[in-house]
Amino acid sequence: DPKIIQKPKYLVAVTGSEKILICEQYLGHNAMYWYRQSAKKPLEFMFSYSYQKLMDNQTASSRFQPQSSKKNHLDLQITALKPDDSATYFCASSQDGLGGREQYFGPGTRLTVL
Amino acid sequence: GEQVEQRPPHLSVREGDSAIIICTYTDSATAYFSWYKQEAGAGLQLLMSVLSNVDRKEEQGLTVLLNKKDKRLSLNLTAAHPGDSAVYFCAVSENYNQGKLIFGQGTKLSIKP
């Protein structure tokens, strides 16, 4: 059974619209993360959460907003979508709130903005 | 901030041969080092991780070497087989207490029969 679920697997959106990427982990972890992988850049860290609190935000734009409704959920809301937002977005989690060690990744959501 | 360079970007080896991928980093305070494997269309699979107090770690045909003096991390796959074909990434964390992983650019490994 998959331990980290990301939904949807593929997502197509029009410029200017808003989408929510879903992430749920069933590893019992306390820390969760979002990363982005695009053709132009290596995997980039976006956010980290520990015990549902934002720990680090490396995303310059406020159009990206993580949402943690439950300890094992960390969704990513993206507003005013742009073609440059096209990428695969990976959710990850780790055991302890300090993070860094042994992050496990979900299968990703591939977002295409037209 | 921390910068990670990974090489080579592409690597082709024959089945049964070994493959070596190298990452260099810039921050001497880097505390955590890991390697991931990404198969086509899939997420990242954690292969191995070491802390800065470890120089060498071996598991299931994989060897990770850490040279802190040269700020170099390497992954050695011995006896490569077709299932090893994938993109490999190194990832480091600047601080033991920090969750942010900084990734290398990736190495696409192809295994020739």
Side-chain angles (χ1 to χ4, degrees):
Chain A
D1 291 336
K3 301 300 185 183
I4 301 181
I5 296 172
Q6 289 190 246
K7 294 183 286 190
K9 187 172 177 62
Y10 302 100
L11 188 56
V12 179
V14 296
T15 297
S17 66
E18 171 183 317
K19 293 294 180 185
I20 296 179
L21 282 57
I22 306 295
C23 177
E24 306 169 14
Q25 57 91 4
Y26 296 94
L27 295 165
H29 289 167
N30 301 312
M32 296 184 70
Y33 314 84
W34 279 101
Y35 290 83
R36 174 169 53 191
Q37 185 178 40
S38 67
K40 299 177 184 177
K41 296 182 181 180
L43 275 147
E44 293 179 281
F45 171 87
M46 299 178 73
F47 300 97
S48 64
Y49 267 64
S50 178
Y51 294 94
Q52 293 187 267
K53 292 185 179 179
L54 178 66
M55 301 300 289
D56 195 0
N57 177 357
Q58 296 287 317
T59 303
S61 172
S62 60
R63 296 186 299 108
F64 296 85
Q65 291 291 329
Q67 300 171 344
S68 180
S69 59
K70 299 179 186 178
K71 177 185 167 184
N72 67 326
H73 282 233
L74 186 64
D75 299 336
L76 181 64
Q77 180 184 38
I78 313 174
T79 59
L81 279 160
K82 303 177 180 181
D84 273 353
D85 297 331
S86 297
T88 300
Y89 291 81
F90 289 102
C91 173
S93 69
S94 66
Q95 175 63 38
D96 59 51
L98 298 178
R101 288 184 293 177
E102 299 193 350
Q103 291 185 24
Y104 295 89
F105 283 72
T109 292
R110 180 178 288 184
L111 172 65
T112 301
V113 183
L114 304 176
Chain B
E2 174 83 273
Q3 293 186 30
V4 177
E5 296 293 327
Q6 183 173 341
R7 66 180 192 273
H10 302 275
L11 181 59
S12 181
V13 301
R14 292 195 177 279
E15 188 173 354
D17 288 350
S18 61
I20 299 176
I21 304 170
I22 295 173
C23 285
T24 56
Y25 57 96
T26 56
D27 189 346
S28 58
T30 300
Y32 172 81
F33 306 84
S34 55
W35 286 97
Y36 286 87
K37 175 184 180 182
Q38 185 178 32
E39 297 180 7
L44 286 86
Q45 175 192 352
L46 177 65
L47 293 175
M48 289 176 67
S49 63
V50 297
L51 300 178
S52 57
N53 60 349
V54 173
D55 294 333
R56 181 187 182 99
K57 185 175 181 180
E58 295 183 43
E59 280 182 5
Q60 298 179 331
L62 300 174
T63 302
V64 170
L65 296 177
L66 177 61
N67 182 325
K68 291 184 286 294
K69 174 176 174 292
D70 294 338
K71 300 190 186 70
R72 186 175 66 240
L73 175 74
S74 66
L75 175 69
N76 188 339
L77 290 81
T78 56
H81 56 84
D84 292 329
S85 294
V87 179
Y88 291 78
F89 295 93
C90 63
V92 307
S93 182
E94 290 182 280
N95 185 299
Y96 183 75
N97 293 329
Q98 197 174 67
K100 173 184 173 183
L101 286 177
I102 300 168
F103 282 83
Q105 295 82 0
T107 296
K108 185 172 183 179
L109 176 64
S110 301
I111 311 302
K112 297 179 292 187

